[in-house]
Amino acid sequence: MDHEPPGWSKEEYLDVGFDMHAVLRKVLRNGGEYADLYLERSSPLAIQCEDDRIEKVIAGRECGAGLRLISGKRTAYAYTNELTTSSLLGLAETMSRSVRSLEGPGERTIVLQGTSLAGSGNFVKQPPEKVATDKKADMVKRANHVARSFDPRVRQVMVTYRENRQEVLIASSSGEVIEDARCYLTAMVQVVASAGGIVQTGYEPVGGLIGMELFDAEPLEIAAEKAARRALMMLTARKAPAGRMPVVLSSDAGGTMIHEAIGHGLEADLAQSGLSVYSGKIGQQIASPLITVVDDATLPGRRGSFFVDDEGTHAQRTVLVDQGILKTYLYDRLTAMKDGTLSTGNGRRESYRHRPIPRMTNTLIAPGAARPADILKATPKGLFVRKMGGGQVNTVNGDFVFEVSEGYLIENGRIAEPVRGATLVGNGPSVLMSIDLVGSDLGFSIGTCGKDGQGSPVSDAQPTLRIPEITVGGEVE
């Protein structure tokens, strides 16, 4: 029986008589526990302003399919941008040869259900594709102008706008067929300021699974002001002192620490292979009782959100750590099969060219009971981190190094002078176990998470936190 994916134009993308049943039956003809077919088409647009002019406007359309076979807890994966039944049957035939069933070749009965529409488009109120490109370019130019005119010490400005409408359809040998349309939108402003031989950079991104209404709440001009102000402030900031000291992480700092220090270590593939400091620790206390960690792809409009993951599993809210106790890992279908459990809806891929792997979505430390102002007052001296930069973590032992892009000294329980060049050096489990104050607020940051050569849109969040003592890299006094 032929099954045409609703919403997919045969004339443009699929040959007449496109048969997903036949492809899935063919790939499983020699055995295997599971197979799925992932169809994708995307319409990206990027606008970049640099050197005070629009340098790039890049638009395109792309479509393709990925075919996966799981046999003996191992994966075979192939992809193509030729969406014809004959092409996909050829891939399926090649992949099926990697499996040798004891029963010999045979036909698997596969009954594909009616297509289910997931509905990520419900997050979008103003679809970007309905706004003219020149209007988007004008918005980018305005942000560039705001940043450049902010102060004479601003030397370089780069403003980037990106959108991507992604339509996917996933059909699996277990019978599910599900279709989703996603709209990812991001914009960022980077400002370089210099004076007296000192050069500093400010950076501010905005974005989400959202439409142009993003800029009603967060105008790109405001992001330009924030980036410029941060770069200029760091020009006159003193060098950060080095040593062990208390650190207060603002909710504005974003969730870089939670993402790197614990998030990756809770992805099931790393945990199962022994490449995580949290391997084999389900049910154990791995953090302070004040710490609850959640991964939640259901949050409306957040950059890591969706209605279904890239295996067709519905988005979920997963409590990973409950009051310091490790409860579960982040699973895709394959890792869930290995542990005899269910997927948590964290099977994600960059595109049809990539196999799905366990990835974070919107990962956060849940708010606590303390007032943020009281956390600061309770800290006579230390470092206040307003904004985190990049970082590195060793998932095997949990050791990390994070940059601080905006930081201040704490003196007498108050924010004092700004400092630059600070880094936080520590160990994830040790730091999470030591946190003694958790604020009642919550702040988000966005990013693109890299793993195994593919990127996924994510967001991270945390409340105001106090680490009683951690090593701060800076200038020895």
Side-chain angles (χ1 to χ4, degrees):
M1 170 178 134
D2 292 345
H3 185 100
E4 177 189 348
W8 285 68
S9 164
K10 268 187 179 178
E11 292 75 18
E12 187 173 0
Y13 293 97
L14 305 173
D15 69 329
V16 175
F18 183 78
D19 190 346
M20 292 191 290
H21 289 87
V23 174
L24 292 172
R25 288 197 301 268
K26 175 72 74 173
V27 76
L28 286 165
R29 66 186 299 269
N30 287 326
E33 295 94 64
Y34 175 86
D36 59 20
L37 177 63
Y38 176 87
L39 301 173
E40 175 192 9
R41 63 183 179 191
S42 59
S43 304
L45 170 68
I47 302 171
Q48 184 172 301
C49 180
E50 197 171 4
D51 293 330
D52 209 20
R53 64 179 182 270
I54 299 293
E55 288 278 1
K56 297 178 183 176
V57 177
I58 302 173
R61 303 182 74 186
E62 186 174 16
C63 62
L67 184 60
R68 177 174 60 157
L69 171 63
I70 295 177
S71 177
K73 306 299 188 297
R74 296 172 66 88
T75 298
Y77 191 76
Y79 64 88
T80 180
N81 59 8
E82 184 182 344
L83 295 187
T84 63
T85 301
S86 59
S87 173
L88 288 168
L89 285 174
L91 284 183
E93 174 65 28
T94 300
M95 292 171 66
S96 70
R97 292 175 190 153
S98 65
V99 176
R100 287 293 177 262
S101 171
L102 294 177
E103 292 81 18
E107 287 291 329
R108 176 80 64 89
T109 300
I110 299 172
V111 180
L112 294 178
Q113 307 300 318
T115 301
S116 171
L117 299 176
S120 292
N122 294 340
F123 285 145
V124 178
K125 297 176 181 177
Q126 301 176 35
E129 63 268 24
K130 294 186 178 180
V131 178
T133 301
D134 59 355
K135 290 187 177 181
K136 298 166 186 173
D138 287 342
M139 178 182 67
V140 168
K141 291 176 185 176
R142 289 195 302 271
N144 172 71
H145 175 74
V146 167
R148 285 188 173 275
S149 60
F150 195 82
D151 188 280
R153 292 170 292 176
V154 171
R155 309 298 184 193
Q156 297 177 23
V157 175
M158 183 170 68
V159 183
T160 304
Y161 167 93
R162 291 193 180 97
E163 68 181 56
N164 187 31
R165 177 174 175 80
Q166 181 193 48
E167 297 170 281
V168 300
L169 186 144
I170 304 120
S172 73
S173 57
S174 53
E176 301 105 339
V177 181
I178 194 161
E179 185 179 12
D180 196 11
R182 306 159 181 169
C183 177
Y184 290 107
L185 190 64
T186 58
M188 56 211 75
V189 183
Q190 180 174 294
V191 175
V192 177
S194 65
I198 298 173
V199 179
Q200 292 293 313
T201 300
Y203 176 78
E204 187 69 22
V206 295
L209 185 74
I210 196 169
M212 297 299 288
E213 66 272 12
L214 168 70
F215 302 110
D216 295 335
E218 301 178 78
L220 197 51
E221 293 91 336
I222 300 300
E225 289 181 4
K226 288 181 179 180
R229 187 176 290 111
R230 187 169 294 127
L232 292 164
M233 184 181 64
M234 290 298 103
L235 281 180
T236 57
R238 57 168 285 191
K239 292 184 179 180
R244 293 188 64 80
M245 65 186 74
V247 169
V248 175
L249 295 174
S250 166
S251 60
D252 294 332
T256 299
M257 190 183 76
I258 182 65
H259 182 95
E260 298 289 354
I262 186 172
H264 276 300
L266 297 185
E267 292 168 337
D269 53 347
L270 295 178
Q272 289 173 344
S273 58
L275 297 177
S276 168
V277 68
Y278 304 107
S279 295
K281 294 187 177 179
I282 297 292
Q284 298 183 28
Q285 183 174 357
I286 63 166
S288 160
L290 298 174
I291 298 297
T292 292
V293 179
V294 176
D295 186 84
D296 191 351
T298 70
L299 299 175
R302 294 296 176 186
R303 180 156 163 77
S305 296
F306 44 76
F307 271 74
V308 293
D309 72 1
D310 293 321
E311 298 178 305
T313 304
H314 282 274
Q316 300 176 29
R317 179 182 186 271
T318 304
V319 177
L320 298 165
V321 179
D322 187 11
Q323 298 181 11
I325 305 299
L326 179 58
K327 294 295 184 180
T328 188
Y329 299 120
L330 296 172
Y331 288 100
D332 64 355
R333 287 183 185 259
L334 175 60
T335 53
M337 289 168 65
K338 290 179 178 179
D339 275 2
T341 187
L342 298 175
S343 170
T344 55
N346 291 90
R348 308 187 69 190
R349 62 182 106 200
E350 181 176 323
S351 75
Y352 69 89
R353 293 184 176 89
H354 304 84
R355 66 182 178 90
I357 54 176
R359 306 295 297 272
M360 285 174 276
T361 63
N362 305 302
T363 312
L364 58 94
I365 294 178
R371 294 199 323 157
D374 292 341
I375 295 177
L376 190 60
K377 289 178 184 177
T379 311
K381 188 176 182 181
L383 179 70
F384 181 81
V385 177
R386 176 86 69 188
K387 203 75 173 176
M388 295 286 285
Q392 297 180 8
V393 64
N394 183 332
T395 61
V396 176
N397 60 22
D399 290 344
F400 64 75
V401 179
F402 297 137
E403 298 174 356
V404 176
S405 59
E406 183 179 346
Y408 304 81
L409 295 179
I410 300 174
E411 295 180 358
N412 300 317
R414 298 188 177 191
I415 296 175
E417 63 181 316
V419 294
R420 57 184 167 86
T423 58
L424 303 182
V425 183
N427 175 269
S430 298
V431 166
L432 289 169
M433 196 72 78
S434 72
I435 290 172
D436 62 352
L437 289 171
V438 178
S440 57
D441 53 348
L442 187 66
F444 283 82
S445 61
I446 66 169
T448 299
C449 173
K451 177 183 173 182
D452 288 0
Q454 52 174 307
S456 289
V458 297
S459 73
D460 314 296
Q462 65 165 62
T464 299
L465 304 170
R466 186 174 73 172
I467 304 169
E469 188 176 71
I470 188 174
T471 299
V472 175
E475 186 177 68
V476 178
E477 296 183 317

PDB file of all heavy atoms in Angstrom, residues 120-121 124 126-129 163-166 181-185 208-211:
ATOM      1  N   SER A 120       4.389  21.816  16.293  1.00  0.00           N
ATOM      2  CA  SER A 120       5.324  22.831  16.761  1.00  0.00           C
ATOM      3  C   SER A 120       4.988  24.204  16.205  1.00  0.00           C
ATOM      4  O   SER A 120       5.325  25.224  16.795  1.00  0.00           O
ATOM      5  CB  SER A 120       6.762  22.461  16.377  1.00  0.00           C
ATOM      6  OG  SER A 120       7.200  21.324  17.084  1.00  0.00           O
ATOM      7  N   GLY A 121       4.299  24.236  15.053  1.00  0.00           N
ATOM      8  CA  GLY A 121       3.904  25.517  14.483  1.00  0.00           C
ATOM      9  C   GLY A 121       2.968  26.302  15.372  1.00  0.00           C
ATOM     10  O   GLY A 121       2.792  27.511  15.193  1.00  0.00           O
ATOM     11  N   VAL A 124       4.307  29.470  16.921  1.00  0.00           N
ATOM     12  CA  VAL A 124       4.647  30.605  16.062  1.00  0.00           C
ATOM     13  C   VAL A 124       3.414  31.446  15.765  1.00  0.00           C
ATOM     14  O   VAL A 124       2.430  30.969  15.209  1.00  0.00           O
ATOM     15  CB  VAL A 124       5.288  30.111  14.741  1.00  0.00           C
ATOM     16  CG1 VAL A 124       5.590  31.281  13.824  1.00  0.00           C
ATOM     17  CG2 VAL A 124       6.547  29.302  15.042  1.00  0.00           C
ATOM     18  N   GLN A 126       3.854  34.828  14.307  1.00  0.00           N
ATOM     19  CA  GLN A 126       4.182  35.611  13.113  1.00  0.00           C
ATOM     20  C   GLN A 126       5.225  34.837  12.306  1.00  0.00           C
ATOM     21  O   GLN A 126       6.426  34.991  12.542  1.00  0.00           O
ATOM     22  CB  GLN A 126       4.733  36.992  13.492  1.00  0.00           C
ATOM     23  CG  GLN A 126       3.787  37.845  14.319  1.00  0.00           C
ATOM     24  CD  GLN A 126       4.430  39.155  14.745  1.00  0.00           C
ATOM     25  OE1 GLN A 126       5.228  39.750  14.009  1.00  0.00           O
ATOM     26  NE2 GLN A 126       4.106  39.624  15.935  1.00  0.00           N
ATOM     27  N   PRO A 127       4.794  33.983  11.376  1.00  0.00           N
ATOM     28  CA  PRO A 127       5.742  33.170  10.606  1.00  0.00           C
ATOM     29  C   PRO A 127       6.769  34.032   9.869  1.00  0.00           C
ATOM     30  O   PRO A 127       6.397  34.961   9.150  1.00  0.00           O
ATOM     31  CB  PRO A 127       4.842  32.429   9.613  1.00  0.00           C
ATOM     32  CG  PRO A 127       3.500  32.410  10.264  1.00  0.00           C
ATOM     33  CD  PRO A 127       3.395  33.699  11.001  1.00  0.00           C
ATOM     34  N   PRO A 128       8.060  33.765  10.045  1.00  0.00           N
ATOM     35  CA  PRO A 128       9.088  34.577   9.389  1.00  0.00           C
ATOM     36  C   PRO A 128       8.984  34.586   7.869  1.00  0.00           C
ATOM     37  O   PRO A 128       9.303  35.597   7.230  1.00  0.00           O
ATOM     38  CB  PRO A 128      10.401  33.914   9.831  1.00  0.00           C
ATOM     39  CG  PRO A 128      10.060  33.230  11.101  1.00  0.00           C
ATOM     40  CD  PRO A 128       8.652  32.771  10.947  1.00  0.00           C
ATOM     41  N   GLU A 129       8.524  33.485   7.273  1.00  0.00           N
ATOM     42  CA  GLU A 129       8.456  33.416   5.815  1.00  0.00           C
ATOM     43  C   GLU A 129       7.420  34.387   5.243  1.00  0.00           C
ATOM     44  O   GLU A 129       7.425  34.659   4.035  1.00  0.00           O
ATOM     45  CB  GLU A 129       8.165  31.988   5.355  1.00  0.00           C
ATOM     46  CG  GLU A 129       6.831  31.427   5.798  1.00  0.00           C
ATOM     47  CD  GLU A 129       6.907  30.670   7.106  1.00  0.00           C
ATOM     48  OE1 GLU A 129       7.842  30.933   7.896  1.00  0.00           O
ATOM     49  OE2 GLU A 129       6.016  29.823   7.342  1.00  0.00           O
ATOM     50  N   GLU A 163      17.035  32.175  10.309  1.00  0.00           N
ATOM     51  CA  GLU A 163      15.765  31.481  10.481  1.00  0.00           C
ATOM     52  C   GLU A 163      15.844  30.166   9.733  1.00  0.00           C
ATOM     53  O   GLU A 163      16.589  30.023   8.763  1.00  0.00           O
ATOM     54  CB  GLU A 163      14.593  32.313   9.953  1.00  0.00           C
ATOM     55  CG  GLU A 163      14.596  32.468   8.442  1.00  0.00           C
ATOM     56  CD  GLU A 163      13.455  33.320   7.918  1.00  0.00           C
ATOM     57  OE1 GLU A 163      13.318  34.476   8.365  1.00  0.00           O
ATOM     58  OE2 GLU A 163      12.716  32.837   7.045  1.00  0.00           O
ATOM     59  N   ASN A 164      15.072  29.209  10.183  1.00  0.00           N
ATOM     60  CA  ASN A 164      14.998  27.946   9.458  1.00  0.00           C
ATOM     61  C   ASN A 164      13.647  27.297   9.728  1.00  0.00           C
ATOM     62  O   ASN A 164      13.307  26.995  10.876  1.00  0.00           O
ATOM     63  CB  ASN A 164      16.110  26.978   9.879  1.00  0.00           C
ATOM     64  CG  ASN A 164      16.126  25.731   9.011  1.00  0.00           C
ATOM     65  OD1 ASN A 164      15.766  25.771   7.830  1.00  0.00           O
ATOM     66  ND2 ASN A 164      16.547  24.614   9.578  1.00  0.00           N
ATOM     67  N   ARG A 165      12.869  27.124   8.669  1.00  0.00           N
ATOM     68  CA  ARG A 165      11.630  26.368   8.777  1.00  0.00           C
ATOM     69  C   ARG A 165      11.948  24.938   8.382  1.00  0.00           C
ATOM     70  O   ARG A 165      12.409  24.668   7.265  1.00  0.00           O
ATOM     71  CB  ARG A 165      10.547  26.938   7.881  1.00  0.00           C
ATOM     72  CG  ARG A 165       9.250  26.119   7.931  1.00  0.00           C
ATOM     73  CD  ARG A 165       8.128  26.766   7.159  1.00  0.00           C
ATOM     74  NE  ARG A 165       6.940  25.914   7.134  1.00  0.00           N
ATOM     75  CZ  ARG A 165       6.058  25.804   8.109  1.00  0.00           C
ATOM     76  NH1 ARG A 165       6.225  26.523   9.210  1.00  0.00           N
ATOM     77  NH2 ARG A 165       5.016  25.013   8.004  1.00  0.00           N
ATOM     78  N   GLN A 166      11.709  24.037   9.301  1.00  0.00           N
ATOM     79  CA  GLN A 166      12.049  22.633   9.094  1.00  0.00           C
ATOM     80  C   GLN A 166      10.769  21.796   9.186  1.00  0.00           C
ATOM     81  O   GLN A 166      10.034  21.887  10.163  1.00  0.00           O
ATOM     82  CB  GLN A 166      13.040  22.175  10.172  1.00  0.00           C
ATOM     83  CG  GLN A 166      13.498  20.738  10.044  1.00  0.00           C
ATOM     84  CD  GLN A 166      14.202  20.259  11.296  1.00  0.00           C
ATOM     85  OE1 GLN A 166      13.727  20.447  12.404  1.00  0.00           O
ATOM     86  NE2 GLN A 166      15.360  19.631  11.115  1.00  0.00           N
ATOM     87  N   ALA A 181       6.251  20.533  11.916  1.00  0.00           N
ATOM     88  CA  ALA A 181       6.848  21.707  11.271  1.00  0.00           C
ATOM     89  C   ALA A 181       7.406  22.592  12.369  1.00  0.00           C
ATOM     90  O   ALA A 181       6.706  22.920  13.334  1.00  0.00           O
ATOM     91  CB  ALA A 181       5.809  22.461  10.447  1.00  0.00           C
ATOM     92  N   ARG A 182       8.669  22.969  12.233  1.00  0.00           N
ATOM     93  CA  ARG A 182       9.356  23.739  13.269  1.00  0.00           C
ATOM     94  C   ARG A 182       9.907  25.023  12.685  1.00  0.00           C
ATOM     95  O   ARG A 182      10.368  25.036  11.538  1.00  0.00           O
ATOM     96  CB  ARG A 182      10.499  22.919  13.865  1.00  0.00           C
ATOM     97  CG  ARG A 182      10.081  21.552  14.371  1.00  0.00           C
ATOM     98  CD  ARG A 182      11.285  20.626  14.469  1.00  0.00           C
ATOM     99  NE  ARG A 182      10.914  19.285  14.935  1.00  0.00           N
ATOM    100  CZ  ARG A 182      11.737  18.248  14.904  1.00  0.00           C
ATOM    101  NH1 ARG A 182      12.962  18.387  14.409  1.00  0.00           N
ATOM    102  NH2 ARG A 182      11.336  17.070  15.348  1.00  0.00           N
ATOM    103  N   CYS A 183       9.897  26.067  13.464  1.00  0.00           N
ATOM    104  CA  CYS A 183      10.442  27.354  13.033  1.00  0.00           C
ATOM    105  C   CYS A 183      11.454  27.823  14.069  1.00  0.00           C
ATOM    106  O   CYS A 183      11.073  28.259  15.165  1.00  0.00           O
ATOM    107  CB  CYS A 183       9.324  28.380  12.871  1.00  0.00           C
ATOM    108  SG  CYS A 183       9.929  30.035  12.431  1.00  0.00           S
ATOM    109  N   TYR A 184      12.730  27.704  13.740  1.00  0.00           N
ATOM    110  CA  TYR A 184      13.789  28.163  14.638  1.00  0.00           C
ATOM    111  C   TYR A 184      14.284  29.538  14.177  1.00  0.00           C
ATOM    112  O   TYR A 184      14.580  29.740  12.998  1.00  0.00           O
ATOM    113  CB  TYR A 184      14.953  27.172  14.651  1.00  0.00           C
ATOM    114  CG  TYR A 184      14.624  25.877  15.338  1.00  0.00           C
ATOM    115  CD1 TYR A 184      14.432  24.708  14.604  1.00  0.00           C
ATOM    116  CD2 TYR A 184      14.491  25.811  16.723  1.00  0.00           C
ATOM    117  CE1 TYR A 184      14.127  23.510  15.236  1.00  0.00           C
ATOM    118  CE2 TYR A 184      14.187  24.620  17.361  1.00  0.00           C
ATOM    119  CZ  TYR A 184      14.006  23.473  16.617  1.00  0.00           C
ATOM    120  OH  TYR A 184      13.694  22.288  17.234  1.00  0.00           O
ATOM    121  N   LEU A 185      14.366  30.455  15.129  1.00  0.00           N
ATOM    122  CA  LEU A 185      14.744  31.830  14.821  1.00  0.00           C
ATOM    123  C   LEU A 185      15.802  32.281  15.819  1.00  0.00           C
ATOM    124  O   LEU A 185      15.636  32.101  17.034  1.00  0.00           O
ATOM    125  CB  LEU A 185      13.505  32.726  14.931  1.00  0.00           C
ATOM    126  CG  LEU A 185      13.604  34.167  14.428  1.00  0.00           C
ATOM    127  CD1 LEU A 185      13.852  34.191  12.927  1.00  0.00           C
ATOM    128  CD2 LEU A 185      12.307  34.908  14.745  1.00  0.00           C
ATOM    129  N   GLY A 208      14.655  31.324  19.623  1.00  0.00           N
ATOM    130  CA  GLY A 208      13.796  30.282  20.144  1.00  0.00           C
ATOM    131  C   GLY A 208      13.057  29.552  19.043  1.00  0.00           C
ATOM    132  O   GLY A 208      13.285  29.783  17.846  1.00  0.00           O
ATOM    133  N   LEU A 209      12.181  28.657  19.451  1.00  0.00           N
ATOM    134  CA  LEU A 209      11.232  28.021  18.532  1.00  0.00           C
ATOM    135  C   LEU A 209      10.043  28.967  18.474  1.00  0.00           C
ATOM    136  O   LEU A 209       9.061  28.810  19.191  1.00  0.00           O
ATOM    137  CB  LEU A 209      10.825  26.644  19.059  1.00  0.00           C
ATOM    138  CG  LEU A 209       9.928  25.807  18.154  1.00  0.00           C
ATOM    139  CD1 LEU A 209      10.718  25.250  16.979  1.00  0.00           C
ATOM    140  CD2 LEU A 209       9.295  24.668  18.938  1.00  0.00           C
ATOM    141  N   ILE A 210      10.146  29.977  17.616  1.00  0.00           N
ATOM    142  CA  ILE A 210       9.273  31.135  17.705  1.00  0.00           C
ATOM    143  C   ILE A 210       9.286  31.873  16.382  1.00  0.00           C
ATOM    144  O   ILE A 210      10.147  31.642  15.530  1.00  0.00           O
ATOM    145  CB  ILE A 210       9.763  32.049  18.873  1.00  0.00           C
ATOM    146  CG1 ILE A 210       8.712  33.063  19.292  1.00  0.00           C
ATOM    147  CG2 ILE A 210      11.095  32.706  18.513  1.00  0.00           C
ATOM    148  CD1 ILE A 210       9.073  33.772  20.591  1.00  0.00           C
ATOM    149  N   GLY A 211       8.335  32.778  16.197  1.00  0.00           N
ATOM    150  CA  GLY A 211       8.281  33.595  14.996  1.00  0.00           C
ATOM    151  C   GLY A 211       8.805  34.999  15.245  1.00  0.00           C
ATOM    152  O   GLY A 211       9.491  35.272  16.237  1.00  0.00           O
TER     153      GLY A 211
END
